[in-house]
Amino acid sequence: MKQENLRLTGVERHFDEDEIIVSKTDPKGRITYANDVFLRISGYSEAGLLGQPHSIIRHPDMPRCVFALMWDTIAKGREIFAYVINRAANGDHYWVLANVTPTFNPDGTIRGYHSNRRKPRREAITAAAGLYRQLRAEEDALQNRRDGMARGSATLMDLLKSQGVDYDQFVFAL
């Protein structure tokens, strides 16, 4: 079954506070490493993940504009933190507080990305879920996906501006 057609179960998966989900990707976002916690929580085998785009675990409730911000940030060589809802292989979901950082070659070019994901606080999940519903509604309000993502991005940037914070400050305040 294709991941985008996978039925959502509505069941949330959990991992312990002392566990860290770790993955590495190449510059195009294809998974090159997944630790045992990632395999267990995502429900994929190592063979089922390696070489796949990291978007294999993308949950449809996750706003595209947040991923666009993430890719823009890490492509510039900076790290980013974000709350992310992911989809497991069977349609369950799980929330993470992700820290994504570029990995550099000796010449300073980006050779890939490293992501550490921790268990988020329940209050932060509630806040992020509410924001993500709003952003997805903005994205889905337009037929053209690119225009929808631009609208979601504008909504997010307007929110950050109104609060006088950048994205990382916003995330850490949740």
Side-chain angles (χ1 to χ4, degrees), residues 5-74:
N5 297 328
L6 184 64
R7 180 183 61 82
L8 299 176
T9 65
V11 175
E12 184 173 359
R13 292 183 173 208
H14 301 276
F15 57 103
D16 292 332
E17 288 188 24
D18 64 343
E19 293 184 299
I20 300 174
I21 296 173
V22 179
S23 62
K24 296 179 184 179
T25 69
D26 67 14
K28 301 259 187 219
R30 290 181 300 261
I31 299 170
T32 59
Y33 171 80
N35 75 342
D36 61 338
V37 181
F38 187 12
L39 298 175
R40 188 181 82 243
I41 298 302
S42 72
Y44 284 95
S45 67
E46 184 176 51
L49 279 180
L50 295 184
Q52 294 297 315
H54 211 285
S55 62
I56 192 170
I57 60 168
R58 185 185 183 283
H59 193 284
D61 289 348
M62 192 65 201
R64 293 184 309 275
C65 65
V66 174
F67 282 124
L69 175 64
M70 180 200 71
W71 277 107
D72 183 56
T73 302
I74 62 178

Side-chain angles (χ1 to χ4, degrees), residues 31-154:
I31 299 170
T32 59
Y33 171 80
N35 75 342
D36 61 338
V37 181
F38 187 12
L39 298 175
R40 188 181 82 243
I41 298 302
S42 72
Y44 284 95
S45 67
E46 184 176 51
L49 279 180
L50 295 184
Q52 294 297 315
H54 211 285
S55 62
I56 192 170
I57 60 168
R58 185 185 183 283
H59 193 284
D61 289 348
M62 192 65 201
R64 293 184 309 275
C65 65
V66 174
F67 282 124
L69 175 64
M70 180 200 71
W71 277 107
D72 183 56
T73 302
I74 62 178
K76 292 176 181 171
R78 299 191 328 251
E79 73 178 336
I80 191 168
F81 290 85
Y83 288 97
V84 179
I85 182 171
N86 291 318
R87 178 170 46 188
N90 71 343
D92 290 354
H93 66 277
Y94 57 100
W95 281 92
V96 298
L97 172 56
N99 172 226
V100 185
T101 60
T103 304
F104 299 97
N105 288 311
D107 67 359
T109 59
I110 295 174
R111 78 165 174 239
Y113 302 100
H114 183 149
S115 179
N116 292 317
R117 288 153 340 258
R118 296 190 171 274
K119 181 178 182 175
R121 293 178 304 103
R122 182 55 49 189
E123 304 81 31
I125 292 171
T126 300
L131 171 63
Y132 291 176
R133 277 190 298 278
Q134 177 187 359
L135 295 175
R136 283 301 310 226
E138 293 292 330
E139 291 177 348
D140 294 344
L142 299 175
Q143 286 255 321
N144 180 294
R145 287 175 53 89
R146 180 173 291 190
D147 292 344
M149 188 168 66
R151 182 184 226 173
S153 293

